[in-house]
Amino acid sequence: MRKSSNQKQPTASSHVEENEEIDWEMRPGGMLVQKRDDVVVDDGASAPAAESIGGPTIKVTVCHGPAHHVLHVPAHSTFGDIKNAVVQKTGLEAKDQRLLFRGKEKEDEEHLHIAGVKDRSKILLLENPASKERKLEEIRKNNEISKACEAVAGVRAEVDKLSERVAALEGAVNGGTKVEEKEFVVLTELLMRQLLKLDGIEAEGEAKMQRKAEVRRVQNFVEKLDSLKARNSNPNINNSNAVSVTTKWETFDSGVGSLNAPTSSSSAKVTEDWEKFD
């Protein structure tokens, strides 16, 4: 019996294909898998570099919103490799990415060729809901801080105007001019209204620090008005008298001034009386 002449004989090309298919590597767990190469982002000159690494290279497009990122990658790369390759392009960390192929989300350890990814395939990239929520929360907080800073700035502008009136009253009192008491009362009330505005501003971070500084500033003006009002009512009150009062309190606390003077005066009188009695 003659053998059929149509029997297919192995060729050199088939041997090459077989050699390519059994390009294996051993993983730490003892699993034998196909050898992996690095993923290369297409920047106009990366495809030849990927080819030189060895192994079949495919072209995939990662769609992220309106953006499309083209990659030249080894066919046996993982979806985790794809995530790492587009971090710089998308601004999303690998942990914040979700990759979908044919409508199904893929795990990082899944291989492209096993999932059916071929040359010119498209992969959809989405952002994790938790990451998106975190960014929205940061945006909201920043907007609130910005809004609070604007509110504090508005109060600061009003206090600047009132500070000019405080300075005018201080100049008048220091110059010996008698000022009507209602001027102090009205100005103090206006300053207290600004304190109420500041109290109603919900602030965090930098805005909170600005609000605290402005509250202290308004309080200082109110204290100054109280002092000016007292001096305006009694022109004899001045800085030297204030120092004198302080000195007396300090002497009183030491227990010296409260005893010596009365003792000396009373003893002198007693001595004189006893001398007269004799």
Side-chain angles (χ1 to χ4, degrees), residues 95-200:
K95 60 183 179 61
D96 295 329
Q97 299 179 30
R98 297 174 59 206
L99 292 181
L100 284 77
F101 181 66
R102 293 176 178 173
K104 295 182 179 180
E105 184 172 358
K106 298 301 179 180
E107 300 295 333
D108 291 354
E109 62 274 10
E110 290 188 61
H111 288 79
L112 302 183
H113 68 291
I114 295 178
V117 178
K118 300 178 181 179
D119 189 45
R120 301 183 183 278
S121 292
K122 291 185 178 181
I123 300 174
L124 180 62
L125 170 61
L126 300 177
E127 184 176 359
N128 280 334
S131 173
K132 187 178 295 185
E133 182 65 25
R134 184 172 63 251
K135 289 183 178 180
L136 290 175
E137 179 63 19
E138 291 177 358
I139 293 174
R140 183 193 64 78
K141 183 178 292 186
N142 290 336
N143 289 339
E144 289 183 354
I145 292 176
S146 178
K147 184 178 179 180
C149 286
E150 291 179 1
V152 173
V155 174
R156 187 184 300 113
E158 294 297 325
V159 175
D160 287 341
K161 297 177 183 178
L162 296 176
S163 67
E164 295 177 359
R165 296 176 60 177
V166 174
L169 286 178
E170 184 177 17
V173 173
N174 290 340
T177 302
K178 186 70 173 179
V179 181
E180 293 186 12
E181 185 174 344
K182 69 177 183 178
E183 294 291 336
F184 299 98
V185 175
V186 171
L187 192 50
T188 299
E189 182 178 349
L190 292 175
L191 287 169
M192 294 303 295
R193 289 181 182 178
Q194 301 307 315
L195 279 180
L196 291 176
K197 289 182 181 179
L198 290 171
D199 185 61

